[in-house]
Amino acid sequence: MAILPQKRDEKNYAYTQSRELSWLRFNRRVLEEAGDESVPLLERLKFISIFTSNLDEFFMVRVGNLFDVSLVSPGEIDNKTGLTPEGQLAEIYSVIPGLIEIKNRLYADVAALLRREGVCDLDMEELSPEERRFVTTYYKAKILPVLSPQIVDARHPFPHLANKSLYVAGLMRSRKGTASLGFLPTPAGLPAILTMPGDPGRFIRMETILLHYAPSLFGEYKLESSCVLCVTRNADLNLDAELLEESGEDIRSRMSKLLKKRASQSAVRLELSKKMGGEFMRLLKGRLGLENRQIYVDQSPLEMHYVFDLAKALPEAKAAALSFPAYRPRWPEDMDKSVSVIDQVRQKDRLLFFPFDGVDPFLQLLEEAAVRPDVVSIRITIYRLATSSKVAHILCKAAENGKEVTVLMELRARFDEANNISWSRLMEDSGCKVIYGVEEYKCHSKICLITLRRGDKLSYVTQIGTGNYNERTNEQYTDLSLMTANESIGLDGAAFFQNMLVGNLDGEYRHLLVAPVGIKAKLLELIDREIAKGPEGYICVKANAMTEREVMDKLVQASQAGVQVQLILRGICCLRPGIAAQTENIHVTSIVGRFLEHGRIYRFGRGKDIKLYIASADLMTRNLNHRVEIACPVYDPAVKEMLLKILHTQLEDNVKASSLLPDGSYCRKVNTLAPCDSQEVFMASSLHKPIAVPEKPDVLHRFLGGLRGKRK
């Protein structure tokens, strides 16, 4: 497909880069953890699996969205690159083959090392006679009865290939010599792997078994060549507010229908386990409507969620030897397990730092609120919940105990829509009042407001976080959870829920910053405040991503004024640092390690002049302009010191941290002093113990001088 004309302006785009390429570079760093010899072997295999699932979602959402835009608005210009949607797609497709090549090489290396440890992904030819009898028996009893092989011919239409499902596919030849396609879906109810009796370290993947038996399943047709394939479909759903209003449906019913639509949307990628002949590809490409650039040969497994099942199947001692040392989240040292959490929060603000601190103090806070007679109501925003959610069950318990429980449930949390629909119904059945937020604006904020009454006086305990109320991800993501009895913040919290009940996005708040109106405007104001200080100004932001053009342009102004700007951005960063006369005072660190960096901290200034916030919002256009988000000021001196410790330690990281270079590539920092893995530091030393944090973090010379082996 020809690339549409592109409008470029080097002046406007001199310090910005593609959101998509920036994300792909982040995912490459995830993949490269599989090549780090200091990482245990099973964890290295998990990083390949995470890279694979990340890339799947990238195609389903970002590539799918760009395809939609290319059809509706083909001339639309991206404000970071000056490219049309087709131009952006061309850049993406030029990068993907190189990533697949790295994945194949790393998978082969890790698989070979695991074999030495007795963990073997087997072919049928490698099975011992006893193992082959076991697999054959299993195939005849469990697999064969549920198989549905299909030939594509005049009487059998081309089947719908489900999104991210594995198929054995092949070129079939009839007795008359006619060529056809044959498909054998992997049955959904079967396990992804079959472990061998007596040695669970030896396993065979289900698609490997199906490939072996496929020639016997198509009757009179001869299977000439075969492979495993997988189609990725556009999963970007658009909940049209106008159509919703005209239909008279509630949002939950409409979302349920959209989830069914997702399964049948257009294909954006085809993955093959090996290169296939021209006749097979001609027949297949015509049916799927795909171009050559959308088709990839991937010799490593196309679906790798099985890795987590494998880890559970291995003997405990073997799994432990091949995994990170077990880590048990701690109960914060500054909190007493035997004393009411609500009462402790009333004494002073409390901060939890997941996953280093456990989620139990917050769960205990909710448990107390569910039963305490002086608690009047619990109000909470929910974006993602665990499949088996303690938070949801406590909220149901509170409602059943007569508490007024209001849940602002976001049904549009991508890939969690069905889970949220199920929980919303259960909570309604228990007596919770469930609302669904404001049309066209996802509610991504994380706030829980507990209202208490003593006599005729109301008081509040407010929890505000950077991550979801999901106990499973609380053990995997680094996030912050502030619990405070500050009356002013509580009053703002009450106003927030009142505004959400009536769909008011323009509410006024004295302390909380609420997007889409309040966060970006305040950020720009605070950046201007530092610009006025010139070289004495200081900005440090920790977030997941930065794409918002107006914020980036303002940070460039700060850099030009001599303000030191340090950004800790795990993933996307569309702002390129180190550009002479523009971003030379901006430095970007990205950390990819054992836990997923997810917390958001905004810092402006130093000393007594410092202003600190924690937030649910990244510095992205969607978060600041098109979502309901909350940023909360931090006033308690002890909590401020904890946040400064986090920022300081992560800027000191020289083990898992990479630096963003002016050309948009990353390079790992060098251990110029003692090695510092920030996540290891937080596992070994509690955030709740005092630490001296330098007033002016002296990391700049290490940032510039500690670069090793530039990696694009």
Side-chain angles (χ1 to χ4, degrees):
M1 181 183 294
I3 299 176
L4 296 176
Q6 302 162 12
K7 178 183 177 182
R8 294 195 64 89
D9 184 332
E10 294 302 327
K11 181 180 179 181
N12 289 341
Y13 308 118
Y15 51 79
T16 54
Q17 67 170 330
S18 163
R19 165 184 171 149
E20 278 65 38
L21 293 190
S22 180
W23 185 90
L24 288 170
R25 285 168 176 148
F26 152 69
N27 203 32
R28 172 172 174 160
R29 284 181 286 120
V30 173
L31 180 59
E32 287 172 342
E33 286 297 299
D36 187 337
E37 295 181 0
S38 70
V39 176
L41 280 173
L42 200 53
E43 305 294 347
R44 291 168 69 177
L45 193 63
K46 289 178 183 177
F47 275 114
I48 301 174
S49 176
I50 293 167
F51 163 85
T52 303
S53 59
N54 283 350
L55 196 60
D56 292 343
E57 184 171 338
F58 176 77
F59 270 93
M60 285 188 276
V61 178
R62 292 303 305 167
V63 175
N65 176 263
L66 281 171
F67 263 105
D68 290 343
V69 176
S70 71
L71 296 174
V72 177
S73 304
E76 183 174 311
I77 299 298
D78 172 55
N79 69 1
K80 268 79 73 177
T81 63
L83 296 176
T84 63
E86 174 54 36
Q88 294 174 76
L89 287 168
E91 283 194 335
I92 290 168
Y93 289 129
S94 71
V95 171
I96 299 298
L99 292 176
I100 300 304
E101 183 180 339
I102 296 171
K103 176 195 172 188
N104 285 333
R105 174 174 54 80
L106 288 174
Y107 177 80
D109 291 346
V110 173
L113 291 170
L114 282 169
R115 277 181 173 265
R116 297 180 190 176
E117 303 295 331
V119 179
C120 306
D121 183 355
L122 301 168
D123 290 326
M124 289 292 290
E125 294 74 19
E126 297 180 279
L127 299 176
S128 69
E130 182 182 349
E131 289 171 339
R132 181 177 280 270
R133 284 192 293 272
F134 168 73
V135 171
T136 301
T137 300
Y138 187 92
Y139 169 77
K140 291 179 178 178
K142 303 290 186 181
I143 301 176
L144 182 58
V146 294
L147 293 181
S148 301
Q150 180 181 337
I151 292 289
V152 179
D153 59 19
R155 292 168 295 175
H156 302 92
F158 190 86
H160 172 73
L161 303 181
N163 183 43
K164 286 306 301 175
S165 294
L166 297 183
Y167 295 81
V168 170
L171 181 67
M172 318 301 298
R173 192 76 62 181
S174 70
R175 291 178 179 175
K176 296 180 180 180
T178 305
S180 300
L181 294 176
F183 292 95
L184 179 61
T186 302
L190 295 176
I193 59 174
L194 187 63
T195 57
M196 298 300 107
D199 189 354
R202 291 172 61 82
F203 67 95
I204 188 167
R205 286 179 278 124
M206 195 56 58
E207 62 267 30
T208 305
I209 299 174
L210 294 183
L211 268 173
H212 175 76
Y213 285 104
S216 65
L217 296 172
F218 291 93
E220 64 179 21
Y221 284 85
K222 179 183 178 182
L223 180 61
E224 291 192 350
S225 61
S226 62
C227 68
V228 179
L229 65 75
C230 180
V231 169
T232 308
R233 295 188 178 277
N234 183 353
D236 193 42
L237 296 180
N238 180 27
L239 188 66
D240 191 301
E242 186 176 341
L243 289 177
L244 181 64
E245 186 174 338
E246 290 177 357
S247 69
E249 293 180 292
D250 64 39
I251 189 172
R252 190 164 66 193
S253 299
R254 180 65 176 162
M255 183 55 69
S256 297
K257 292 180 179 178
L258 278 176
L259 289 179
K260 295 177 182 178
K261 177 184 175 184
R262 171 181 282 165
S264 61
Q265 294 199 109
S266 60
V268 293
R269 177 179 60 162
L270 172 65
E271 297 171 278
L272 305 170
S273 64
K274 69 177 186 180
K275 188 174 182 179
M276 296 290 286
E279 193 170 14
F280 174 86
M281 294 306 300
R282 179 181 58 79
L283 293 170
L284 187 61
K285 283 166 56 181
R287 296 288 190 169
L288 292 175
L290 293 172
E291 306 170 36
N292 287 336
R293 63 180 184 167
Q294 296 172 277
I295 301 171
Y296 304 97
V297 176
D298 189 343
Q299 295 163 349
S300 54
L302 304 183
E303 218 303 315
M304 292 194 63
H305 285 121
Y306 77 85
V307 172
F308 299 91
D309 295 331
L310 172 63
K312 295 175 183 176
L314 291 174
E316 187 174 342
K318 177 171 283 190
L322 299 172
S323 304
F324 286 126
Y327 178 75
R328 183 182 296 275
R330 63 176 71 89
W331 181 279
E333 288 87 346
D334 62 348
M335 296 184 70
D336 190 333
K337 287 185 179 181
S338 63
V339 176
S340 160
V341 173
I342 289 179
D343 291 343
Q344 291 184 76
V345 171
R346 281 175 155 175
Q347 293 171 0
K348 57 175 288 191
D349 290 0
R350 310 287 173 163
L351 182 74
L352 302 178
F353 185 24
F354 306 138
F356 315 106
D357 298 327
V359 72
D360 288 344
F362 172 67
L363 295 177
Q364 185 171 317
L365 178 84
L366 276 186
E367 286 276 12
E368 291 176 22
V371 298
R372 279 179 62 135
D374 57 344
V375 169
V376 177
S377 67
I378 303 172
R379 285 169 275 186
I380 190 170
T381 59
I382 289 178
Y383 194 74
R384 299 187 194 276
L385 289 170
T387 305
S388 177
S389 172
K390 294 179 182 178
V391 169
H393 284 299
I394 295 171
L395 293 172
C396 292
K397 175 183 176 181
E400 291 163 357
N401 286 344
K403 309 299 181 187
E404 180 186 328
V405 179
T406 302
V407 179
L408 199 170
M409 175 73 79
E410 181 51 71
L411 295 184
R412 294 164 291 185
R414 189 174 285 118
F415 305 121
D416 273 328
E417 300 96 342
N419 189 47
N420 286 1
I421 288 171
S422 297
W423 279 119
S424 69
R425 289 173 175 150
L426 180 65
M427 287 190 280
E428 275 188 341
D429 290 344
S430 298
C432 299
K433 180 177 183 179
V434 181
I435 60 174
Y436 301 110
V438 182
E439 290 178 0
E440 300 182 11
Y441 291 86
K442 284 186 181 181
C443 184
H444 190 251
S445 55
K446 328 293 183 187
I447 180 170
C448 177
L449 181 70
I450 298 168
T451 304
L452 303 95
R453 176 185 287 123
R454 288 190 177 178
D456 59 354
K457 184 177 180 181
L458 296 178
S459 62
Y460 304 97
V461 169
T462 311
Q463 181 274 339
I464 293 179
T466 66
N468 297 301
Y469 298 106
N470 183 325
E471 301 89 4
R472 184 180 63 83
T473 55
N474 291 153
E475 296 179 350
Q476 301 168 345
Y477 297 1
T478 71
D479 267 310
L480 298 157
S481 175
L482 175 68
M483 298 178 287
T484 179
N486 182 293
E487 183 178 1
S488 298
I489 290 176
L491 289 170
D492 271 5
F496 170 80
F497 281 102
Q498 290 167 1
N499 286 325
M500 291 302 101
L501 282 165
V502 296
N504 178 21
L505 296 176
D506 298 316
E508 295 185 3
Y509 307 93
R510 295 184 58 195
H511 298 266
L512 296 180
L513 310 180
V514 180
V517 176
I519 296 182
K520 185 169 79 170
K522 187 64 175 179
L523 288 175
L524 297 175
E525 176 189 319
L526 289 167
I527 297 171
D528 276 331
R529 175 177 173 268
E530 297 307 303
I531 290 174
K533 301 175 186 176
E536 293 302 310
Y538 181 74
I539 298 168
C540 184
V541 174
K542 172 178 167 56
N544 298 318
M546 173 179 286
T547 67
E548 170 52 31
R549 182 74 203 221
E550 196 171 353
V551 172
M552 293 190 292
D553 289 343
K554 184 64 70 173
L555 288 174
V556 172
Q557 293 178 30
S559 173
Q560 292 171 328
V563 177
Q564 185 179 346
V565 180
Q566 292 177 323
L567 306 175
I568 307 170
L569 302 173
R570 181 197 77 222
I572 301 167
C573 181
C574 292
L575 181 63
R576 294 189 290 121
I579 306 296
Q582 297 186 84
T583 60
E584 57 192 356
N585 289 312
I586 297 176
H587 316 283
V588 182
T589 293
S590 177
I591 297 172
V592 175
R594 172 174 178 172
F595 303 115
L596 182 79
E597 292 292 336
H598 195 254
R600 292 95 167 183
I601 305 171
Y602 309 155
R603 173 186 175 172
F604 299 90
R606 297 185 174 101
K608 295 181 180 178
D609 195 36
I610 195 170
K611 291 190 180 297
L612 278 165
Y613 294 80
I614 65 168
S616 61
D618 292 314
L619 304 185
M620 301 181 74
T621 302
R622 70 180 188 188
N623 297 90
L624 300 180
N625 299 337
H626 304 298
R627 287 187 175 184
V628 178
E629 305 269 11
I630 288 180
C632 178
V634 175
Y635 297 133
D636 184 273
V639 176
K640 281 186 174 182
E641 285 301 314
M642 288 186 241
L643 296 180
L644 293 178
K645 177 182 176 182
I646 293 171
L647 296 177
H648 172 71
T649 306
Q650 294 214 313
L651 289 171
E652 289 284 292
D653 194 313
N654 54 20
V655 174
K656 292 300 182 181
S658 296
S659 300
L660 181 60
L661 300 179
D663 65 357
S665 64
Y666 285 88
C667 66
R668 293 293 280 265
K669 294 185 184 180
V670 181
N671 298 341
T672 53
L673 299 175
C676 175
D677 180 331
S678 58
Q679 294 184 358
E680 292 284 349
V681 170
F682 296 134
M683 282 192 284
S685 176
S686 172
L687 192 66
H688 304 272
K689 295 178 180 178
I691 182 176
V693 177
E695 178 56 28
K696 290 189 177 183
D698 185 22
V699 298
L700 181 56
H701 69 283
R702 273 166 268 167
F703 219 106
L704 298 177
L707 305 182
R708 177 185 63 199
K710 181 177 176 182
R711 301 188 302 175
K712 294 184 179 180

